[in-house]
Amino acid sequence: MNTTEESKDSLKTIQKAVLKRIKEQINDASFEALFSDDLFSLVSLKNNHAIFVSSSPSLEAFINKTSYPEKIKKELEKITEDEVEVQIISKENYNKLKEKKEEKNYDQKKYFKNSVLLQNFTFDNFVMGPSNRQAYLASLQSVEYPGRYNPLFIYSKSGLGKTHLLYAIGNKYEEKYPEKKIQYITTNNFVDTIINHFKNDESIQIEELKNYFYSVDLLLIDDIQFLADKKSIQMIFFDIFNILVSSGKQIVITSDRSPVELKGLEDRLVTRFSGGLSLNITPPDKKTLLDILKIKIQSHGYSLSMFDDDAMEYLALNHSKNVRELEGALTNLLFNMAILKPQGTITLDFVASVFADEKQIVEKKGKTTIDSIIEDVADYYSLTTSQLRSKIRTSQIALARQIAMYLARDILSLPYQVIGREFQKDHSTVVANVNKIEEKMKKDPSFKSNIIEIKKFVKREER
């Protein structure tokens, strides 16, 4: 969850949902002694960090020696649908912590703590094919010969593997040069950091940020298109870019379009991007899709011998828009396998029956409904309604799902419980996700404009 500030009511709702689940794992006497409202409360949930306050230092010490912090973390992540760090601290120590934070400057080492280099995306589990071969080989070169292609600019539509390559570069570089400094960052996080933290003594803090980047050996920046129309931030990024390139440091950038197609960026930035190596990833061919599907099946712990060739081909070719769509379809299939427990090999007939109700989204007339909102948001992000209604938590699907929840609440004023039933979520998860979108709109004018555009699309009278 990337929330900047939660209302007291929202925090209370989320707290109750978490503790309700904890109560099921503990006897009543112990629960009342540790987690009753007057002893334990959620006081903050922002930047993927949750702070629970206990009534005394002795209670703080006791709880932290038990398995309850990990259990609370597990239940909170189910509700927020995101990785969350949980801190349990006494009220006394929490107040001291707040005082210290007010007294000291922002720690530059924590500028981008939400932009995490995920370790499970590597070159080894990236499936290379004709559609991505050049990008794959150039990514390897950027590790072997840093600075040779600067920047390396990888672009494609959503869900085709460019972020996977970005992570793979970072992980391989870290393995090869453990003494070097790597900074992975999303463009939105870069923008948010500058907007949120550089309000006082701006010139001094901007210089501190630049000094921080000057020590970076490998800069990986995702979704550079979100830098559009942010002129003052583009100027900062331009300075950082130039010093890194001139120092021979490697920069790798991803985008949803080529440098020359980027709108809202200064010409000098586009020129710098175009001066490196720009490579496009296109939709995968049949063989690559099947290879990806096989790896995904095995990653879930299933043997390929459980699926006949026709079944896998049907699944791959009918969900071939991008890798994320294919992942969503496989998740749906595995869910149905677990529920229906088919005997023997998974056949084409079984796979076809699982997706029999999946219809192509078509234009239709009528009143805006939660179904039409889900369909339109899925279409807008090149996803399927099944993915939005699933429990998949990849960033693109999770964001689209949160936007659909927000619009259902904003346009239709539906109760949180009703929205939750559509997505198989409880109402506290819907509260958290709606809050997340509202706060992101407050922070990011570009994101707000995007939401307004989607809202107009789903509310059109003639559908």
Side-chain angles (χ1 to χ4, degrees), residues 81 328 331-332 385-393 397 401 423-425:
E81 299 186 306
T331 299
N332 191 354
T385 57
S386 297
Q387 287 174 307
L388 260 65
R389 294 180 190 270
S390 73
K391 294 186 178 182
I392 302 172
R393 289 167 54 183
I397 295 174
R401 184 184 299 126
F423 295 90
Q424 304 178 67
K425 310 292 182 186

Side-chain angles (χ1 to χ4, degrees), residues 246-302:
S246 64
S247 302
K249 308 294 183 64
Q250 179 67 58
I251 300 176
V252 185
I253 299 171
T254 71
S255 174
D256 65 353
R257 66 206 74 176
S258 70
V260 294
E261 294 174 314
L262 288 170
K263 305 298 182 184
L265 262 64
E266 292 184 5
D267 289 343
R268 59 179 184 169
L269 265 180
V270 173
T271 299
R272 294 295 193 280
F273 296 162
S274 301
L277 178 62
S278 298
L279 296 171
N280 184 25
I281 298 177
T282 57
D285 61 6
K286 174 182 173 180
K287 182 181 183 305
T288 305
L289 281 167
L290 285 169
D291 288 343
I292 292 170
L293 179 60
K294 290 174 182 178
I295 284 181
K296 298 297 180 183
I297 288 172
Q298 291 173 321
S299 71
H300 283 279
Y302 291 88

Side-chain angles (χ1 to χ4, degrees), residues 298-317:
Q298 291 173 321
S299 71
H300 283 279
Y302 291 88
S303 169
L304 295 180
S305 62
M306 294 178 61
F307 302 79
D308 71 30
D309 291 342
D310 289 340
M312 285 194 288
E313 183 171 318
Y314 177 91
L315 186 63
L317 296 186

Side-chain angles (χ1 to χ4, degrees), residues 94 156 192:
Y94 177 62
S156 75
D192 288 348

Side-chain angles (χ1 to χ4, degrees), residues 143-146 171-180:
V143 177
E144 293 297 321
Y145 308 102
N171 289 321
K172 189 68 175 178
Y173 190 93
E174 188 172 47
E175 177 186 315
K176 187 175 178 65
Y177 313 105
E179 76 286 358
K180 300 286 188 178

